[in-house]
Amino acid sequence: MQGPMTTEQAMARAVDLAARGLGHTAPNPVVGCVVLDADGAPVGEGWHARAGGPHAEVVALAAAGEAARGGTAVVTLEPCRHAGRTGPCTTALLDAGIARVVVAVPDPTAAAGGGADVLRDHGIEVVEGVGREAATHVNRAWLHAVRTGRPYVTWKLASTLDGRTAAADGTSRWITGPTAREAVHRLRAERDAVLVGAGTLRADDPHLAVRGVEGATQPLRVVVDTRAEIEPTARVLDDAAPTLVAVAEGADTARLTDAGVDVLALPVGERGIDPAALLAGLHARGVRSVLLEGGARLAASFVAADLVDEVVAHFAPALLGAGAPVLGDAGITTMTEALRLTTTDVTRLGDDIAVTAAVRREH
């Protein structure tokens, strides 16, 4: 039997458990829970595996059984106090005889928040803030969506060291190696939607579905196609994953709708389809995280609208000197206007390098 754990160790484990729910729980958060017995030994753990399924606390308490009585529940997000498709987690904790609850992040929603106060009112000790930074990071998409009313946008790019995504003759396969391409599938699997523009569709005919990730929930594939020119034979329209085609209001979509394609009509601005309206439409469909995969013009429209939250850049040790740039004109004309980011991770993927960076919002 495993020996006692500190609450910090238990919270680190709970964060790891929460991450297993990424890509599966929208529109709900990812949550992990570890139950320690009265002596501090782990006796149960769980995570929120899918929307509508049992919450992390319920799964962990079921695993712990009677050993939970008098023990501690360590949870990445404040236990909910409302009865949605499942019962309140506060009730489950009280019924299990838990004596202490350690919470990393408070629940910001009106319906579910306040669970800590409910527990305190029933005599349970509640400690807040342990592991807050890590728990916030793993749940950043959902927390962002709650705060802003729009999905969290990660722009994924792949380029040569000199910032080219294709050669002068238009060829682009493959800039990065197989390890980096495998990493892209894991990125897709952890998001609710994958987004590309019509230019990328014409150039590469991408499939956009997740491959090689066991148990993945396929994300919604979204194509921004202003004039509704996508061909019915496009690989993105197969039945491997759901697909949404975003078009301009007034575009002739009869060919698509007659073929059973899901279409979303949106207003158009100077840079094409309004990215804020697109994100609002996706949020209304339960999407809380988006992986923007291209191309340069679509990415520029999101950057210009300040709608990119994170960048995952895959750099290949190659030089082209000419060809398509990784980012189009985003309206930035001087260094003082540069979009600044904070690097959060650097990883080697075979010969390639992956840099993850979060957009600084103080600009």
Side-chain angles (χ1 to χ4, degrees), residues 236-263:
V236 77
L237 294 181
D238 69 8
D239 59 2
T243 303
L244 173 69
V245 179
V247 304
E249 290 175 337
D252 184 0
T253 61
R255 183 171 55 91
L256 295 176
T257 54
D258 288 349
V261 177
D262 192 6
V263 174

Side-chain angles (χ1 to χ4, degrees), residues 158-184:
S159 81
T160 59
L161 289 180
D162 55 340
R164 304 294 177 176
T165 60
D169 65 355
T171 55
S172 60
R173 292 187 176 179
W174 293 102
I175 289 177
T176 53
T179 305
R181 296 198 292 274
E182 290 170 6
V184 172

Side-chain angles (χ1 to χ4, degrees), residues 106-127:
D107 191 314
T109 62
D117 291 335
V118 171
L119 294 170
R120 288 190 181 101
D121 290 344
H122 285 81
I124 292 180
E125 179 189 358
V126 179
V127 178

